[in-house]
Amino acid sequence: MYGGGNSFEAPAINERPEAENPELLAEFEARIERGEKIEPSDWMPALYRKQLIRMIEQHAHSEIIGALPEGTWITRAPGFRRKLAQMAKVQDEVGHGQLLYSAAETLGKSREEMINDLINGKSKYSNIFNYPAFTWADSNVISWLVDAGAIVNQLANAKGSYGPYCRALDRICAEESFHLKYGHDAVVHLATGTPLQRKMVQEALHRWWPPLMHFFGPPDKMSIHTEQLMRWKVKMASNDDMRQQFLDMYVPKIWELGLTLPDPLLKKNLETGKWDYTEPDWEEFKRVINGDGPCNKERLGVRKQAEEKGAWVRRALLNPQAKYVQPLA
Ligand code: BYC
């Protein structure tokens, strides 16, 4: 369904759960059912390993690439206090990427391979970081609402089955909750400021709403991986459930500020207890996650340049005896 640039190929015959030793598989599934954590040295089905590598790796890339749109606002943030806070947030996101690469490495894929797959366009990362942050308000909307969406996802999955991923998520959630407060404070500041500040944050919210709706992944009926991942408690909530939870928690807060959202159908349906909304453009989502969004080339270009410019540092670290290491031209 999602051709081109897919990081996940259909499982080979020997990776399918039916090909596993039935006794080991039954014991593994019983452990998951009992709520036990699976650790790196434990037996696990090949498909569980493959799915976890895909998901954790994509998550790590999202943190690293996700630091870029906010990173460009560090020098332009209004005032020293906000510059410092913005810098600390961006630094946290890069740290989350490092934690997640380490968690993915426990499953047998090296960091070098993961980074190569990112810069060669083989691995995916979150759709949302392929949009431009035109104004300071765009950066604030990311800090508040993208972090809010991430917390919904991560709090759920921190209760999942793979120990190293859950422990990384626990730590990440603690830091993200500061980001959420920081982002909320910045948005409230603009929303209650001058008419120009209010206009700026309103426009940013309209720009980011469709990618935010995409952020939780395709509707459950279109999702490829949810069923298997929920069976093995890698994913603890479906894409639609996470989207509903986000709407429930944040639409009232947005409306409270007198801000509007660009969806005339958006309302809580009192009969179903769920939010009605207009489906975002899923064709656009597919284009963006497969490499054809407004900023994909720019984001990967920056990451590639950082990789190339840092090569001499890695060579020096790997060869501490060397007296002088020739920097790359
Ligand atoms: N973006 O079967 P589905 C942050 C892909 S960073 C791109 O539903 P699944 C932050 C999906 O990969 C936090 N691709 O997939 C950082 C699959 O393609 P492949 C980011 C997406 O895995 C800095 C295909 O669509 N959070 O907060 O069951 C600054 C079919 O989808 C997306 C994470 O990474 C997407 N949004 O569920 C500020 C959380 N959605 O792989 C903030 C970890 C779907 O077959 N990831 N696709 O080629 C997850 O929880 C799950 O992977 C998802 C998707 C819920 C995103």
Side-chain angles (χ1 to χ4, degrees), residues 2 5-8 54-55 58-59 62-63 66-67 70 89 93 124-129 142 146-147 150 153-154 157 165 176 214-218 223-226 229 235 239 242 285 289:
Y2 293 92
N6 260 6
S7 59
F8 191 82
R54 176 190 69 86
M55 210 171 110
Q58 285 181 8
H59 191 167
S62 304
E63 300 280 356
E70 287 173 293
K89 180 186 188 297
E93 306 296 1
K124 290 193 170 64
Y125 56 89
S126 184
N127 68 299
I128 202 147
F129 303 117
I142 300 175
V146 179
D147 281 74
N153 170 293
Q154 290 161 186
N157 292 342
Y165 188 38
E176 299 281 31
H214 287 148
F215 179 76
F216 301 92
S223 167
I224 310 167
H225 305 295
T226 298
L229 290 177
K235 235 170 130 167
N239 301 355
M242 289 187 286
F285 170 78
I289 68 172

Side-chain angles (χ1 to χ4, degrees), residues 28 38 44-52 161-162 232 234:
F28 168 83
I38 306 298
M44 61 185 82
L47 187 57
Y48 178 83
R49 184 184 298 277
K50 181 174 180 170
Q51 282 281 19
L52 271 169
S161 62
Y162 189 58
W232 282 337
V234 172

